[in-house]
Structure formats: C-alpha cells, structure tokens
Amino acid sequence: MTTPQTARVTTFLSLEPQVAFEVFTEETNLWWRRGPRFRGSHAPDSVVRFEGGAGGRLVEEDSEGVFEIGRVLAWEPGLHLRFEWRGRNFAPGELTEVEVRFESAEGGTRVVLEHRGWESLRPDHPVRHGQDVAAFLAMMGMWWAGLTTALRTVASRPTPRVE
C-alpha cells in the first residue's frame, strides 16, 4: 500500500466562515499570485476563477483559451470546498485533490487546506522537480503558503468586495 502524500497549510482570516468562503471562491484571481511559479499561463492578464458550485470548475483563462485546473467536487459555502487539481504538465487522467475547510474560530475563520493524492503520480513526474517525497511535499506546502498568505492579505481589506 502506498503512503498518502499530502501538503497541508492553515491560515486564519478575521472574517466569518461564509465571507471567508466567498473571498476564497469569488475573489480567487485577486489572491492567486501571478507569475510562472503560481500560474501556468505566461500571459500577464490570465484570470484564475471558480465557475459555479459543485460540478463547476477551477480554471485559468487567458487570450489563448481556458485551462481547466480541475472540477469542483464539493461546494458547501462557509464550510467546505473540494476540487481536483492538475498542472499543465499532467497527462490526461493525472489528478490530485485539494480540500479546504472553513472552521469557525474565535474572531474569524481557520482555513485548513490539504492538497493530497500526490502518491498517484510517478516518482519521476516533472511536477516533482526531481525531489524526494519529503522535499516535494515541503515545497508544495510552501507554494500553498504563498497563496494563502495572499488570501489573508485580500481578506484583511477593510471591506472585502467581489469584483
């Protein structure tokens, strides 16, 4: 049996869980950092967004088209979000999964994000950059930490607004 490979990050938002969920899902392009480390498109105007709820998609769109990062598997506003995730260098059928929980906490919401399923990709997959499992999972944790830090910055604006 293969050992599960999961990267996990936690952040705190000074917002109620429902609003934290809305910022995560409706303002994604504002907190999803730009540049080749975070976006597959090299276009400076690419947009990362969720389309719809359960059964919808997480996509990155630019002038050349739409790349489906993954399908939304669970959509429970204020509580839980789960979606497939694949990089542009994934072959058809290669998928991982991201689960995000919005947990009520004193003064706001604890956002717990787990990106799992990496064990389903071969050890020499390009996404691993030649790293062993521990180093790769640490790298993915830092990748998500960068994104959730940006999420916290967007969420800390005086009045989060959907644009």
Side-chain angles (χ1 to χ4, degrees):
M1 184 171 158
T2 306
T3 303
Q5 296 177 18
T6 301
R8 178 183 170 149
V9 296
T10 302
T11 194
F12 180 83
L13 305 181
S14 297
L15 301 169
E16 294 299 316
Q18 179 69 33
V19 178
F21 184 93
E22 290 168 2
V23 171
F24 193 97
T25 60
E26 296 174 18
E27 300 188 46
T28 311
N29 195 56
L30 295 178
W31 60 261
W32 198 289
R33 291 186 169 174
R34 297 191 176 278
R37 182 168 181 233
F38 293 100
R39 297 192 185 211
S41 171
H42 296 288
D45 62 343
S46 74
V47 174
V48 175
R49 62 184 163 78
F50 283 94
E51 293 180 332
R57 309 182 303 168
L58 173 60
V59 299
E60 182 178 10
E61 184 173 8
D62 63 20
S63 60
E64 294 187 17
V66 176
F67 173 73
E68 181 178 302
I69 297 167
R71 292 278 171 181
V72 175
L73 304 171
W75 183 279
E76 299 173 71
L79 297 172
H80 178 241
L81 172 67
R82 190 167 51 90
F83 55 94
E84 298 169 332
W85 190 89
R86 61 184 303 271
R88 288 183 184 250
N89 62 353
F90 284 29
E94 290 182 331
L95 291 170
T96 58
E97 183 178 287
V98 177
E99 181 171 22
V100 188
R101 293 185 311 277
F102 300 83
E103 302 173 351
S104 184
E106 185 175 336
T109 303
R110 180 181 312 105
V111 179
V112 180
L113 184 146
E114 292 183 348
H115 192 160
R116 59 181 166 252
W118 294 106
E119 69 279 359
S120 68
L121 301 180
R122 66 186 193 273
D124 66 342
H125 193 285
V127 75
R128 294 180 184 273
H129 301 283
Q131 297 176 322
D132 66 24
V133 171
F136 172 71
L137 292 175
M139 180 189 76
M140 286 309 302
M142 293 303 293
W143 188 84
W144 279 110
L147 289 175
T148 57
T149 296
L151 170 67
R152 193 170 57 242
T153 300
V154 168
S156 68
R157 294 172 303 170
T159 305
R161 304 287 305 163
V162 176
E163 296 181 19

Short mmCIF file of all heavy atoms in Angstrom, two decimals, residues 114-148:
data_model
loop_
_atom_site.label_atom_id
_atom_site.label_comp_id
_atom_site.label_asym_id
_atom_site.label_seq_id
_atom_site.Cartn_x
_atom_site.Cartn_y
_atom_site.Cartn_z
N GLU A 114 -5.71 21.14 2.41
CA GLU A 114 -4.91 19.92 2.21
C GLU A 114 -4.90 19.59 0.72
O GLU A 114 -5.95 19.50 0.09
CB GLU A 114 -5.50 18.74 2.97
CG GLU A 114 -5.39 18.88 4.45
CD GLU A 114 -5.92 17.68 5.21
OE1 GLU A 114 -6.57 16.81 4.60
OE2 GLU A 114 -5.67 17.61 6.42
N HIS A 115 -3.70 19.45 0.18
CA HIS A 115 -3.53 19.06 -1.22
C HIS A 115 -2.97 17.64 -1.20
O HIS A 115 -1.84 17.43 -0.81
CB HIS A 115 -2.59 20.02 -1.93
CG HIS A 115 -2.58 19.86 -3.41
ND1 HIS A 115 -2.15 20.85 -4.25
CD2 HIS A 115 -2.97 18.84 -4.21
CE1 HIS A 115 -2.25 20.44 -5.50
NE2 HIS A 115 -2.74 19.21 -5.50
N ARG A 116 -3.79 16.70 -1.60
CA ARG A 116 -3.40 15.30 -1.46
C ARG A 116 -3.51 14.53 -2.78
O ARG A 116 -4.00 15.05 -3.76
CB ARG A 116 -4.26 14.63 -0.39
CG ARG A 116 -5.72 14.67 -0.66
CD ARG A 116 -6.50 14.00 0.48
NE ARG A 116 -7.89 14.31 0.39
CZ ARG A 116 -8.55 15.12 1.20
NH1 ARG A 116 -7.92 15.72 2.17
NH2 ARG A 116 -9.82 15.33 1.03
N GLY A 117 -3.02 13.31 -2.72
CA GLY A 117 -3.08 12.44 -3.88
C GLY A 117 -1.81 12.43 -4.71
O GLY A 117 -1.76 11.87 -5.80
N TRP A 118 -0.76 13.03 -4.19
CA TRP A 118 0.50 13.09 -4.93
C TRP A 118 1.09 11.71 -5.16
O TRP A 118 1.84 11.50 -6.12
CB TRP A 118 1.50 13.99 -4.20
CG TRP A 118 1.05 15.41 -4.19
CD1 TRP A 118 0.55 16.11 -3.12
CD2 TRP A 118 1.03 16.31 -5.30
NE1 TRP A 118 0.22 17.39 -3.51
CE2 TRP A 118 0.51 17.54 -4.84
CE3 TRP A 118 1.40 16.20 -6.64
CZ2 TRP A 118 0.36 18.64 -5.67
CZ3 TRP A 118 1.25 17.31 -7.46
CH2 TRP A 118 0.74 18.50 -6.97
N GLU A 119 0.74 10.75 -4.30
CA GLU A 119 1.27 9.39 -4.47
C GLU A 119 0.79 8.75 -5.78
O GLU A 119 1.38 7.79 -6.25
CB GLU A 119 0.91 8.51 -3.27
CG GLU A 119 -0.55 8.17 -3.12
CD GLU A 119 -1.41 9.27 -2.48
OE1 GLU A 119 -0.87 10.34 -2.11
OE2 GLU A 119 -2.62 9.05 -2.35
N SER A 120 -0.27 9.30 -6.37
CA SER A 120 -0.78 8.74 -7.63
C SER A 120 0.09 9.12 -8.83
O SER A 120 -0.05 8.53 -9.90
CB SER A 120 -2.22 9.20 -7.87
OG SER A 120 -2.26 10.59 -8.13
N LEU A 121 0.98 10.08 -8.63
CA LEU A 121 1.89 10.47 -9.71
C LEU A 121 3.22 9.76 -9.56
O LEU A 121 3.73 9.60 -8.46
CB LEU A 121 2.12 11.98 -9.68
CG LEU A 121 0.87 12.86 -9.81
CD1 LEU A 121 1.26 14.32 -9.75
CD2 LEU A 121 0.11 12.55 -11.08
N ARG A 122 3.77 9.34 -10.66
CA ARG A 122 5.03 8.59 -10.63
C ARG A 122 6.15 9.40 -9.97
O ARG A 122 6.14 10.63 -10.02
CB ARG A 122 5.41 8.14 -12.04
CG ARG A 122 5.75 9.27 -12.96
CD ARG A 122 5.98 8.79 -14.41
NE ARG A 122 6.61 9.82 -15.18
CZ ARG A 122 5.96 10.78 -15.83
NH1 ARG A 122 4.65 10.84 -15.80
NH2 ARG A 122 6.64 11.69 -16.53
N PRO A 123 7.10 8.72 -9.37
CA PRO A 123 8.20 9.41 -8.67
C PRO A 123 9.01 10.36 -9.55
O PRO A 123 9.54 11.35 -9.07
CB PRO A 123 9.08 8.26 -8.16
CG PRO A 123 8.15 7.10 -8.04
CD PRO A 123 7.16 7.27 -9.18
N ASP A 124 9.10 10.08 -10.87
CA ASP A 124 9.88 10.95 -11.75
C ASP A 124 9.00 11.96 -12.51
O ASP A 124 9.44 12.55 -13.49
CB ASP A 124 10.70 10.11 -12.73
CG ASP A 124 9.83 9.34 -13.72
OD1 ASP A 124 8.62 9.16 -13.45
OD2 ASP A 124 10.36 8.90 -14.75
N HIS A 125 7.78 12.19 -12.02
CA HIS A 125 6.88 13.15 -12.68
C HIS A 125 7.53 14.54 -12.67
O HIS A 125 8.13 14.94 -11.67
CB HIS A 125 5.54 13.20 -11.95
CG HIS A 125 4.48 13.90 -12.74
ND1 HIS A 125 4.43 15.27 -12.87
CD2 HIS A 125 3.43 13.42 -13.45
CE1 HIS A 125 3.41 15.60 -13.62
NE2 HIS A 125 2.77 14.50 -13.98
N PRO A 126 7.42 15.29 -13.77
CA PRO A 126 8.06 16.62 -13.84
C PRO A 126 7.63 17.57 -12.73
O PRO A 126 8.43 18.43 -12.31
CB PRO A 126 7.63 17.16 -15.21
CG PRO A 126 7.23 15.97 -16.00
CD PRO A 126 6.78 14.92 -15.03
N VAL A 127 6.42 17.45 -12.23
CA VAL A 127 5.95 18.37 -11.18
C VAL A 127 6.78 18.23 -9.90
O VAL A 127 6.89 19.16 -9.12
CB VAL A 127 4.44 18.15 -10.87
CG1 VAL A 127 4.20 16.89 -10.07
CG2 VAL A 127 3.86 19.36 -10.15
N ARG A 128 7.44 17.09 -9.72
CA ARG A 128 8.24 16.85 -8.51
C ARG A 128 9.63 17.49 -8.57
O ARG A 128 10.33 17.53 -7.56
CB ARG A 128 8.37 15.34 -8.26
CG ARG A 128 7.05 14.68 -7.93
CD ARG A 128 7.25 13.19 -7.69
NE ARG A 128 6.01 12.50 -7.45
CZ ARG A 128 5.43 12.37 -6.25
NH1 ARG A 128 6.00 12.87 -5.19
NH2 ARG A 128 4.29 11.72 -6.13
N HIS A 129 10.03 17.95 -9.74
CA HIS A 129 11.33 18.63 -9.90
C HIS A 129 12.49 17.79 -9.36
O HIS A 129 13.47 18.32 -8.82
CB HIS A 129 11.32 20.00 -9.22
CG HIS A 129 10.27 20.92 -9.77
ND1 HIS A 129 10.41 21.57 -10.97
CD2 HIS A 129 9.05 21.28 -9.28
CE1 HIS A 129 9.33 22.28 -11.21
NE2 HIS A 129 8.49 22.12 -10.21
N GLY A 130 12.39 16.47 -9.48
CA GLY A 130 13.47 15.58 -9.06
C GLY A 130 13.64 15.45 -7.55
O GLY A 130 14.62 14.86 -7.09
N GLN A 131 12.70 15.97 -6.79
CA GLN A 131 12.83 15.93 -5.33
C GLN A 131 12.27 14.64 -4.74
O GLN A 131 11.36 14.03 -5.31
CB GLN A 131 12.08 17.12 -4.72
CG GLN A 131 12.66 18.45 -5.14
CD GLN A 131 11.85 19.61 -4.58
OE1 GLN A 131 10.64 19.56 -4.51
NE2 GLN A 131 12.54 20.66 -4.18
N ASP A 132 12.82 14.26 -3.58
CA ASP A 132 12.24 13.11 -2.88
C ASP A 132 10.90 13.55 -2.30
O ASP A 132 10.54 14.73 -2.32
CB ASP A 132 13.19 12.56 -1.82
CG ASP A 132 13.45 13.52 -0.66
OD1 ASP A 132 12.62 14.42 -0.38
OD2 ASP A 132 14.50 13.36 -0.01
N VAL A 133 10.13 12.61 -1.76
CA VAL A 133 8.78 12.88 -1.30
C VAL A 133 8.74 14.00 -0.25
O VAL A 133 7.96 14.94 -0.35
CB VAL A 133 8.11 11.59 -0.76
CG1 VAL A 133 6.78 11.90 -0.08
CG2 VAL A 133 7.91 10.59 -1.89
N ALA A 134 9.58 13.90 0.77
CA ALA A 134 9.55 14.90 1.85
C ALA A 134 9.86 16.31 1.32
O ALA A 134 9.16 17.27 1.67
CB ALA A 134 10.53 14.52 2.95
N ALA A 135 10.86 16.44 0.50
CA ALA A 135 11.23 17.76 -0.04
C ALA A 135 10.13 18.29 -0.96
O ALA A 135 9.80 19.48 -0.92
CB ALA A 135 12.56 17.67 -0.78
N PHE A 136 9.55 17.41 -1.75
CA PHE A 136 8.49 17.83 -2.65
C PHE A 136 7.27 18.30 -1.87
O PHE A 136 6.70 19.37 -2.17
CB PHE A 136 8.09 16.69 -3.60
CG PHE A 136 6.87 17.01 -4.39
CD1 PHE A 136 6.91 17.97 -5.39
CD2 PHE A 136 5.66 16.40 -4.11
CE1 PHE A 136 5.77 18.30 -6.11
CE2 PHE A 136 4.52 16.72 -4.82
CZ PHE A 136 4.57 17.67 -5.82
N LEU A 137 6.85 17.55 -0.86
CA LEU A 137 5.68 17.95 -0.07
C LEU A 137 5.95 19.25 0.68
O LEU A 137 5.06 20.10 0.81
CB LEU A 137 5.25 16.84 0.88
CG LEU A 137 4.67 15.59 0.19
CD1 LEU A 137 4.39 14.52 1.21
CD2 LEU A 137 3.44 15.94 -0.63
N ALA A 138 7.17 19.45 1.14
CA ALA A 138 7.53 20.72 1.79
C ALA A 138 7.44 21.87 0.77
O ALA A 138 6.92 22.95 1.09
CB ALA A 138 8.94 20.64 2.37
N MET A 139 7.91 21.63 -0.45
CA MET A 139 7.83 22.64 -1.49
C MET A 139 6.37 22.98 -1.80
O MET A 139 6.00 24.15 -1.92
CB MET A 139 8.53 22.16 -2.77
CG MET A 139 8.47 23.17 -3.91
SD MET A 139 9.08 22.51 -5.48
CE MET A 139 7.69 21.48 -5.97
N MET A 140 5.51 21.96 -1.91
CA MET A 140 4.09 22.21 -2.19
C MET A 140 3.44 22.93 -1.02
O MET A 140 2.58 23.80 -1.22
CB MET A 140 3.36 20.90 -2.49
CG MET A 140 3.67 20.33 -3.87
SD MET A 140 3.50 21.50 -5.25
CE MET A 140 1.79 22.01 -5.10
N GLY A 141 3.82 22.60 0.20
CA GLY A 141 3.29 23.32 1.36
C GLY A 141 3.66 24.80 1.30
O GLY A 141 2.83 25.67 1.57
N MET A 142 4.90 25.09 0.91
CA MET A 142 5.33 26.48 0.78
C MET A 142 4.61 27.18 -0.37
O MET A 142 4.29 28.37 -0.29
CB MET A 142 6.85 26.56 0.61
CG MET A 142 7.62 26.12 1.85
SD MET A 142 7.19 27.05 3.33
CE MET A 142 7.81 28.66 2.91
N TRP A 143 4.34 26.44 -1.44
CA TRP A 143 3.60 27.00 -2.58
C TRP A 143 2.22 27.45 -2.12
O TRP A 143 1.79 28.58 -2.36
CB TRP A 143 3.52 25.95 -3.69
CG TRP A 143 2.97 26.43 -4.99
CD1 TRP A 143 3.66 27.06 -5.98
CD2 TRP A 143 1.62 26.29 -5.46
NE1 TRP A 143 2.81 27.32 -7.04
CE2 TRP A 143 1.57 26.85 -6.74
CE3 TRP A 143 0.47 25.73 -4.91
CZ2 TRP A 143 0.40 26.89 -7.50
CZ3 TRP A 143 -0.70 25.76 -5.66
CH2 TRP A 143 -0.73 26.34 -6.94
N TRP A 144 1.52 26.56 -1.42
CA TRP A 144 0.19 26.91 -0.91
C TRP A 144 0.28 27.97 0.18
O TRP A 144 -0.61 28.82 0.31
CB TRP A 144 -0.55 25.67 -0.41
CG TRP A 144 -1.18 24.90 -1.53
CD1 TRP A 144 -0.81 23.68 -2.00
CD2 TRP A 144 -2.30 25.31 -2.33
NE1 TRP A 144 -1.62 23.31 -3.05
CE2 TRP A 144 -2.55 24.30 -3.27
CE3 TRP A 144 -3.11 26.44 -2.34
CZ2 TRP A 144 -3.58 24.37 -4.20
CZ3 TRP A 144 -4.14 26.52 -3.28
CH2 TRP A 144 -4.37 25.49 -4.19
N ALA A 145 1.34 27.97 0.98
CA ALA A 145 1.51 29.01 2.00
C ALA A 145 1.61 30.39 1.34
O ALA A 145 1.06 31.37 1.85
CB ALA A 145 2.75 28.73 2.85
N GLY A 146 2.29 30.46 0.21
CA GLY A 146 2.36 31.72 -0.52
C GLY A 146 0.99 32.19 -0.98
O GLY A 146 0.64 33.37 -0.87
N LEU A 147 0.19 31.25 -1.45
CA LEU A 147 -1.16 31.61 -1.90
C LEU A 147 -2.06 31.97 -0.73
O LEU A 147 -2.83 32.94 -0.80
CB LEU A 147 -1.78 30.47 -2.71
CG LEU A 147 -1.17 30.25 -4.10
CD1 LEU A 147 -1.77 29.02 -4.76
CD2 LEU A 147 -1.36 31.48 -4.97
N THR A 148 -1.99 31.22 0.37
CA THR A 148 -2.87 31.54 1.50
C THR A 148 -2.44 32.82 2.22
O THR A 148 -3.26 33.49 2.83
CB THR A 148 -3.00 30.36 2.48
OG1 THR A 148 -1.71 29.98 2.95
CG2 THR A 148 -3.71 29.17 1.83
#
